[in-house]
Amino acid sequence: MKAEYREEICDGCDQRFSIDDPLYEIKTDHQHLIIFRNRYFGRVLALDGVIQTTEADEFIYHEMMAHVPLLAHGRVHRVLIIGGGDGGLLREVLRHRDIRRVVQVEIDASVIDLCRRYLPNHSQGAFDDPRATVVIDDGMHFLEHTDERFDVILTDSTDPEGPAEVLFSRRYYAACQRCLAPGGILVTQNGVAFLQLDEVRVSAGHFNHLFRDWHFFGASVPTYVGGIMTFGWASDDPRPRQTDRKTLQERFTHSGIVTRYYTPQLHGAAFALPQYILDAIGKT
Ligand code: SAM
């Protein structure tokens, strides 16, 4: 019988993948890591029993997390990525020609090393780009000790358990706010709202306390089962979120970036949330 990867999604419900080719499994200093190949989704990375990314659908998550804030902002030179050890987000951010510097702070060096080796299609050489600097550190610790300011901060983290728990705290969001340049934007991985509604609710409460402008936007990522995957958006400048479609289209065309999911039309639509999420975040 073929080996199987099984992930508990919620009480009484799980998702399974056949492991057609087991590539690597290790207990790192921070988490359990497994990389395997599935015949449909390609290479798959799971950490502590939670699917992080697959070759087949990673473009959806990474394009939306990178291009929505970068194109809305319009003049991004410096980006901070917290987490994101697979390198897919770094790849998408570096596709923007105006980017001068990306600092990526990943707590677990093994994730970067093993993804470079076993998931090379994610980073596609991005870690070797001279504009990229990798720091092995806890994102919270880094933010509380850096003097740098960033136009965009992206939290590409695991769910709020273990090492990533702190990345969903008010203390963390306040540290991000301090490290944003004027007009800067924070975008966060905020889980699948239907199954992790509390995660969205709690982050919304923190954003509301700290930031002048905040909201969430969504994307459907097939391997993050349960419906819409939500990204948090927080800024002290309301203008980037209001960028109109014509401007987004001009910036997108000018960038020369070819996408498989992101479009300027989808960009605007992604901020239209279903009522159950609006209720949870206290917006009408
Ligand atoms: N796209 C994925 C998702 O939606 O679940 C996230 C992928 S990425 C592999 C998540 C990374 O966050 C992991 O490599 C993990 O080591 C890193 N991470 C977790 N906690 C962290 C922390 N406190 N500081 C920096 N990186 C952290």
Side-chain angles (χ1 to χ4, degrees):
M1 207 173 86
K2 279 249 181 217
E4 225 177 40
Y5 168 86
R6 177 180 165 277
E7 176 177 331
E8 186 168 334
I9 298 299
C10 54
D11 193 17
C13 160
D14 60 25
Q15 93 169 311
R16 293 164 195 234
F17 290 78
S18 67
I19 300 181
D20 295 310
D21 194 2
L23 294 165
Y24 207 86
E25 185 165 6
I26 188 179
K27 173 87 187 72
T28 75
D29 290 342
H30 297 275
Q31 51 213 338
H32 173 265
L33 175 154
I34 181 169
I35 300 176
F36 61 89
R37 192 186 59 79
N38 170 268
R39 71 195 75 147
Y40 193 87
F41 284 99
R43 293 182 177 213
V44 178
L45 166 71
L47 294 173
D48 282 345
V50 180
I51 296 284
Q52 299 294 306
T53 186
T54 83
E55 282 185 325
D57 65 0
E58 59 85 16
F59 67 97
I60 302 173
Y61 176 91
H62 294 128
E63 286 183 12
M64 288 301 275
M65 195 175 226
H67 305 321
V68 171
L70 269 69
L71 290 167
H73 185 291
R75 50 183 192 291
V76 175
H77 299 310
R78 291 153 300 163
V79 174
L80 174 65
I81 297 174
I82 304 292
D86 53 75
L89 185 60
L90 181 64
R91 177 199 73 215
E92 287 303 315
V93 167
L94 288 170
R95 291 172 77 191
H96 292 258
R97 284 189 298 251
D98 288 348
I99 293 291
R100 295 184 190 144
R101 174 167 162 82
V102 184
V103 179
Q104 173 152 9
V105 182
E106 164 61 59
I107 202 167
D108 193 341
S110 306
V111 178
I112 295 183
D113 293 346
L114 293 167
C115 288
R116 288 182 81 162
R117 201 147 105 217
Y118 294 103
L119 280 185
N121 290 335
H122 271 58
S123 55
Q124 295 180 16
F127 289 113
D128 299 319
D129 190 300
R131 296 171 293 167
T133 298
V134 173
V135 178
I136 302 303
D137 196 359
D138 169 27
M140 182 75 242
H141 180 265
F142 175 86
L143 279 158
E144 287 191 329
H145 292 84
T146 184
D147 292 327
E148 257 194 277
R149 297 293 177 266
F150 299 91
D151 301 311
V152 167
I153 300 178
L154 304 171
T155 314
D156 182 10
S157 71
T158 41
D159 291 337
E161 279 169 36
E165 196 176 346
V166 70
L167 305 182
F168 294 77
S169 66
R170 188 169 296 184
R171 184 177 144 216
Y172 173 77
Y173 296 136
C176 288
Q177 186 183 40
R178 186 186 70 82
C179 293
L180 282 174
I185 303 162
L186 167 67
V187 165
T188 62
Q189 186 282 99
N190 253 103
V192 173
F194 184 79
L195 295 172
Q196 294 157 307
L197 202 55
D198 256 355
E199 200 177 305
V200 180
R201 191 181 286 123
V202 170
S203 291
H206 296 325
F207 292 164
N208 192 37
H209 184 82
L210 295 165
F211 291 92
R212 216 175 128 208
D213 183 58
W214 62 273
H215 202 59
F216 290 82
F217 63 99
S220 289
V221 184
T223 43
Y224 303 155
V225 294
I228 306 163
M229 148 94 219
T230 43
F231 299 90
W233 172 287
S235 176
D236 282 322
D237 189 339
R239 286 171 300 178
R241 192 159 66 88
Q242 292 161 1
T243 309
D244 60 68
R245 172 133 48 101
K246 186 166 166 285
T247 307
L248 289 172
Q249 185 63 62
E250 280 165 11
R251 289 176 184 168
F252 183 52
T253 304
H254 177 74
S255 76
I257 294 171
V258 176
T259 54
R260 291 172 67 201
Y261 188 86
Y262 176 90
T263 67
Q265 192 171 13
L266 188 67
H267 179 137
F271 286 87
L273 300 174
Q275 191 62 46
Y276 74 91
I277 301 182
L278 291 173
D279 289 343
I281 65 176
K283 291 201 179 193
T284 48

